[in-house]
Amino acid sequence: ALINFAANAVLNGKRVIYFTLELSSKMICHKFDLRIIGTTLEVLKKDPKRAQAIVNKIPDAFHCLEFPTKALTVDGLAAQVEKFGGCDLVFIDYGQLLKPSAQRGDRRHEITDIYEGLRRAAGELKLPIWTAHQANRLGYGIKTIDIGHVSEDFNVAAISDIALSLNQSDEERKHRR
């Protein structure tokens, strides 16, 4: 979902920085390119020259930065954005994989600190920061995820300006194209 949001932002003229703390930047960029091209890997393999020509027309508006899990702090993230001369939108895959500013005895307090830090950084940088957060075990298999299903700390939703729930059943997953 974050890659789709990022691709749509770029297609609408926005400059995007995408921080990946889990997958490789190569994998994220590959998924981003497929989304921009609007096709699947199978189609791309059949006509790679056409696909590359489309990708080459994309403005240099998407930057993907890869960091190991819990190696990047919120302040480090803000410094990276400033290093690029700013952008219009930041995506983080996943916010809870950032390094907390202080070690706490309880993980949920560290996550609250991370998300409060992201809110502060968004205000200081004057740009939206989007991230994804996982559901807890109670959220698995239900039709609609709510604030009680936020993994680790439901303060994540309380701190956020906007919280979306994207749900897909096992049956829907089997039939996706």
Side-chain angles (χ1 to χ4, degrees):
L2 286 179
I3 290 169
N4 284 328
F5 290 137
N8 281 322
V10 169
L11 290 171
N12 284 288
K14 303 297 183 194
R15 296 170 301 137
V16 169
I17 299 177
Y18 192 106
F19 291 87
T20 178
L21 307 171
E22 185 177 48
L23 300 175
S24 72
S25 60
K26 182 178 181 179
M27 185 180 292
I28 295 294
C29 288
H30 180 73
K31 290 180 178 196
F32 178 83
D33 289 347
L34 289 175
R35 171 57 183 89
I36 292 288
I37 293 167
T39 190
T40 64
L41 186 57
E42 292 76 29
V43 172
L44 182 65
K45 287 179 180 177
K46 291 178 185 174
D47 193 359
K49 287 183 182 179
R50 179 180 146 265
Q52 188 61 50
I54 294 169
V55 170
N56 289 341
K57 291 179 184 176
I58 299 169
D60 188 22
F62 180 78
H63 299 282
C64 183
L65 305 177
E66 177 184 347
F67 291 88
T69 298
K70 295 189 181 176
L72 181 66
T73 63
V74 172
D75 290 338
L77 180 141
Q80 289 292 323
V81 171
E82 290 175 344
K83 179 179 169 183
F84 269 91
C87 64
D88 298 309
L89 192 56
V90 168
F91 291 90
I92 307 165
D93 188 5
Y94 290 102
Q96 69 266 32
L97 298 179
L98 287 164
K99 181 179 180 177
S101 59
Q103 298 298 316
R104 307 226 184 244
D106 196 342
R107 177 70 177 139
R108 67 187 173 95
H109 295 301
E110 292 176 353
I111 291 173
T112 294
D113 287 348
I114 288 169
Y115 279 83
E116 286 175 345
L118 288 173
R119 185 178 183 89
R120 174 188 45 81
E124 290 171 356
L125 295 167
K126 296 181 178 34
L127 56 81
I129 297 177
W130 287 42
T131 188
H133 197 86
Q134 296 175 338
N136 60 23
R137 287 181 192 226
L138 294 174
Y140 181 78
I142 64 169
K143 225 171 183 45
T144 303
I145 297 195
D146 64 31
I147 195 168
H149 300 109
V150 175
S151 177
E152 300 287 342
D153 181 14
F154 67 81
N155 278 330
V156 168
I159 295 165
S160 303
D161 288 327
I162 298 172
L164 303 175
S165 171
L166 301 177
N167 306 293
Q168 183 180 49
S169 69
D170 289 336
E171 188 66 26
E172 291 167 329
R173 190 174 298 111
K174 289 177 191 174
H175 290 91
R176 71 178 171 196
R177 45 182 180 140

